[in-house]
Amino acid sequence: MKKLLALVLAVVLTLSVFAGCTPTVQMQGTPSTPSTPNNNKPPVVNTQVNSDVYPLDSDEVFDVIFYGDASAAGVAPLFERITGVEINYLEYTEEQYQMVTMGGSLPDACYRNYGYDKAALFEMGDAGLIIDFTDYLDIMPNFAQFLDRYPVARFACTNEDGSIYCLPTMFETAGSQSNLVYVRADMARAAGWETMPTTVEELMQMSLDIQKTFAHVEDFCAVSWTSGPYLELNNVIDNTLFPAFGELVDVRFTANSKNEVVLGAATEQYRHYVKYMSDWYKSGAVWKEAYADDGTMAKAKCSAGEVAIAFGSISGVTKEHFESGEFEILILDPLTSSVWDVEQFRKAPSGNISCNSWISTSCKDIETMCRWFDAFFSTEDNPLNKEGTVWGVSAWLGEIGVDTIVVEETEHGKGYEQPNGTPAGAYFYQFMGATNFYSAADSLFGIKCDAMINQLLPLSKETPLVTELPKDEDDQEEYDNAWIDMKKYINESTAKFITGQWDVDTMWDSYINTLESMGMSDICELLQPYYTDYIK
C-alpha cells in the first residue's frame, strides 16, 4: 500500500461540463509498453440482448460511493427500476472518500468520474481491496465491446499485468471541452467591434477598447481569464491560446509534426505565448485577481456585468443582462497570431477520459454489481428496456422521449432538449462509456455546443497521446517523479513571467536551463520509444 499512501492526495477533480470546464484527463498508472493493435482482429460482438437481462433479480441493497446529490437525481430511480438494483448512494466528500479508501474498509462499490488515478487504484487492487474487472468480462459484454471500440479507453484503464481495476468515463459531447473564448457582443459593439477578432493581437486590442469604453463601470475588467486553480499548467487559457503561436496544441510532454517528443512549455512557441500573456496582464484590461480567486469572485464579476471576455465559461450571465432580452454572446473561432497563421482547436485524444469507478472485493454480490455497472456501457442499438428508451447515456439525460427528446442530429451527435425546451438535463453527470450528445436549447450550454459543432470541431487537432501511454513500472516511476518537480517549477515560473516578476526576454534561457537540469531531455528520451511504438 505504500504507493497508495503516496498517491492518496493526488485527487483529480473533474468539473461538470455544464459549468463549462473540461474534465481532467488522467490516464497514468503502472502499465507496460502497449502492444501494437491488431487491425485484423475481429471486433467484439455483444450477443447479449440487454432488454432480456434487465431488470436483474436482486434483493440486495448496495452501498455505493457517489459524489453529488444522487438521492435527488432524476435518473437514480430510473436506473433502479430498469436495472432492478437498489442503490444506497453514499454522498462522500473528498475527505470522506480518502479516509475510507485509506482505512481499507470499503463499501460495495464506487461510482464517480474523478478521484484517484489508475496508479492508486492499481495499488488498491494489488492489495486485494477491489476486483479485477477482467475476471468478469464474460458478464460485462457491454463494457467488453466498449473497450474494443475505443482502444484509447483500454489504454486508460489497463495495467502492466493486464488487470483492470477501474472503469473509464469518456466525454465526447459537443460541450465537454472548455477551451473557448466567450465575448459579450453588446459590449464589443459598444467599443466599435462589429467584427470579431481572428488573431490574439486583435483580441488584446479589442479588450483594451472595451476597457476604455466601460471605464466608468466600477470594478469593470474587460477580461477574466478564469479562477486561480485553473491557471496551472494545461489550464483553459493554455489550451485556448497556446495553439495560436505554433504547431503544438499541448503545453505538457507532447509530440511535434516530426513525431518527436518535446515539452511544450519549453519551446519557442511557449515563449511567444508567455510573452503575449505578460503583455496582456500588464495592459490594464485583465482582471489581475484571477491568480488569487477560487472561482467565486470570477463568477460574481460575470453575473454583475463586469466582464466582457471570458475563458472556459461565462457563468452567471443570463438573458436579463442584455437590453434585447436575448443572449448576445459569441464564441471566437480558433485564433492565430503574427507568428502562426493556421487555425487549430486543441481537442483531447478521443474525448476526456477518467478511470475511477470500482467494486470492492467485499461487495455483497459482485456479479450483480458488475452487471449494474455494465448497464452504463449499453448503447442505443442495444438498450436496457424493450421500449428502447434507456441506455448508457440515460445516466445523464434520463429516459429518451420522456425526460429528453431528440430535436436535431449532426455528424457530431444528437441534439437533446427537455420537453419544455430547456437544455438536456444534467441530473448527475457521472456516467460511463462514451456519448456525443449536445444541447440544442437556447441557453449558454446550447451556445457552446453550437460553436463546438460549427466553428471548432471542424478545425480540431487531437492532442498526441504521449504521457498517457502505458509504460513499464520503472519508467512510469521515473516519469512521475520528474514531472512532479518540473510541473511545479513551470507553474511558478509561468506565473512570474506573466505577472512581470521575471522578464521573458532576459530570463528565458535560465528557465530552459533549469528544466534541462531537472531531466527534461531524459524524460523526452524515455517517452520517445513508447510514442514511436504507438504510432506504428
Side-chain angles (χ1 to χ4, degrees), residues 33 58 254 256 273 278 286 310 354 378 381 391 437 466-467 501:
T33 305
S58 176
T254 184
N256 60 26
Y273 162 66
S278 178
V286 175
S354 59
S378 61
D381 60 358
W391 59 93
F437 91 92
V466 176
T467 59
Q501 297 179 55

Side-chain angles (χ1 to χ4, degrees), residues 88-237:
N88 174 34
Y89 288 101
L90 307 175
E91 297 166 15
Y92 284 1
T93 63
E94 278 308 304
E95 291 75 14
Q96 289 174 309
Y97 182 54
Q98 292 177 31
M99 289 178 63
V100 167
T101 50
M102 289 180 67
S105 179
L106 304 179
D108 294 302
C110 174
Y111 176 47
R112 56 200 283 133
N113 63 357
Y114 73 81
Y116 299 138
D117 66 9
K118 184 176 63 176
L121 293 174
F122 175 84
E123 295 300 320
M124 289 173 63
D126 198 42
L129 296 177
I130 55 180
I131 71 163
D132 179 356
F133 285 102
T134 61
D135 295 333
Y136 298 90
L137 288 180
D138 59 328
I139 59 172
M140 299 183 73
N142 297 301
F143 176 51
Q145 188 174 39
F146 171 82
L147 293 180
D148 187 63
R149 184 179 297 141
Y150 298 102
V152 67
R154 185 184 293 274
F155 278 142
C157 64
T158 305
N159 298 302
E160 177 183 4
D161 58 1
S163 61
I164 297 175
Y165 292 111
C166 48
L167 297 172
T169 295
M170 189 162 165
F171 295 86
E172 288 197 316
T173 72
S176 66
Q177 297 208 4
S178 62
N179 39 319
L180 298 88
V181 187
Y182 292 80
V183 177
R184 285 208 31 183
D186 58 333
M187 291 183 175
R189 286 196 302 271
W193 285 77
E194 296 289 342
T195 302
M196 288 297 99
T198 60
T199 69
V200 291
E201 291 85 3
E202 291 175 350
L203 177 61
M204 185 188 298
Q205 185 58 56
M206 183 176 74
S207 71
L208 293 171
D209 293 343
I210 294 175
Q211 185 68 39
K212 182 177 179 180
T213 302
F214 290 90
H216 62 282
V217 178
E218 186 177 0
D219 296 325
F220 184 86
C221 281
V223 184
S224 172
W225 285 341
T226 186
S227 56
Y230 312 122
L231 289 180
E232 294 187 354
L233 194 69
N234 196 38
N235 65 66
V236 64
I237 315 296

Side-chain angles (χ1 to χ4, degrees), residues 189-493:
R189 286 196 302 271
W193 285 77
E194 296 289 342
T195 302
M196 288 297 99
T198 60
T199 69
V200 291
E201 291 85 3
E202 291 175 350
L203 177 61
M204 185 188 298
Q205 185 58 56
M206 183 176 74
S207 71
L208 293 171
D209 293 343
I210 294 175
Q211 185 68 39
K212 182 177 179 180
T213 302
F214 290 90
H216 62 282
V217 178
E218 186 177 0
D219 296 325
F220 184 86
C221 281
V223 184
S224 172
W225 285 341
T226 186
S227 56
Y230 312 122
L231 289 180
E232 294 187 354
L233 194 69
N234 196 38
N235 65 66
V236 64
I237 315 296
D238 292 344
N239 296 338
T240 305
L241 296 184
F242 177 66
F245 294 91
E247 65 164 323
L248 303 179
V249 295
D250 198 331
V251 295
R252 302 166 299 174
F253 283 101
T254 184
N256 60 26
S257 57
K258 298 178 181 179
N259 292 326
E260 299 167 335
V261 173
V262 297
L263 176 58
T267 60
E268 279 296 292
Q269 179 178 340
Y270 195 71
R271 186 178 70 83
H272 286 300
Y273 162 66
V274 171
K275 182 67 165 62
Y276 171 82
M277 292 291 287
S278 178
D279 291 343
W280 205 9
Y281 183 84
K282 292 180 286 188
S283 71
V286 175
W287 182 53
K288 294 186 176 181
E289 284 75 12
Y291 270 105
D293 182 34
D294 63 358
T296 304
M297 291 190 295
K299 182 175 181 179
K301 287 188 72 64
C302 289
S303 300
E306 299 170 358
V307 172
I309 302 168
F311 286 78
S313 69
I314 191 162
S315 301
V317 175
T318 66
K319 291 183 178 181
E320 285 69 33
H321 284 87
F322 305 92
E323 290 185 10
S324 65
E326 300 295 333
F327 282 116
E328 296 183 56
I329 291 175
L330 297 175
I331 292 176
L332 300 186
D333 290 343
L335 299 170
T336 59
S337 69
S338 60
V339 297
W340 183 256
D341 61 1
V342 178
E343 291 180 296
Q344 53 186 15
F345 174 76
R346 179 192 186 273
K347 182 177 180 291
S350 300
N352 302 281
I353 300 176
S354 59
C355 302
N356 299 285
S357 298
W358 45 260
I359 299 174
S360 72
T361 51
S362 60
C363 176
K364 303 180 185 73
D365 183 345
I366 292 176
E367 289 195 5
T368 295
M369 196 83 278
C370 282
R371 292 187 183 275
W372 182 76
F373 272 117
D374 194 50
F376 293 91
F377 291 94
S378 61
T379 57
E380 184 177 5
D381 60 358
N382 191 359
L384 299 173
N385 60 343
K386 295 188 183 301
E387 295 78 15
T389 57
V390 179
W391 59 93
V393 70
S394 297
W396 192 335
L397 301 177
E399 188 172 1
I400 309 303
V402 178
D403 299 307
T404 56
I405 57 176
V406 179
V407 295
E408 64 183 25
E409 186 171 0
T410 76
E411 63 178 309
H412 299 295
K414 292 184 177 181
Y416 291 95
E417 289 181 6
Q418 293 181 24
N420 63 3
T422 59
Y427 297 120
F428 63 107
Y429 56 86
Q430 278 82 339
F431 72 101
M432 283 162 281
T435 178
N436 60 348
F437 91 92
Y438 64 91
S439 173
D442 181 19
S443 64
L444 285 178
F445 187 60
I447 290 172
K448 175 180 182 178
C449 291
D450 182 72
M452 284 288 297
I453 291 170
N454 295 308
Q455 298 171 234
L456 302 172
L457 288 177
L459 297 170
S460 63
K461 180 177 180 180
E462 286 204 352
T463 309
L465 274 173
V466 176
T467 59
E468 298 88 350
L469 292 175
K471 297 174 279 294
D472 68 40
E473 189 169 357
D474 289 341
D475 285 348
Q476 184 68 56
E477 185 173 0
E478 181 179 349
Y479 167 79
D480 289 340
N481 291 337
W483 182 235
I484 289 173
D485 293 334
M486 274 189 278
K487 183 179 179 181
K488 181 174 183 292
Y489 176 71
I490 293 169
N491 280 327
E492 292 173 349
S493 301

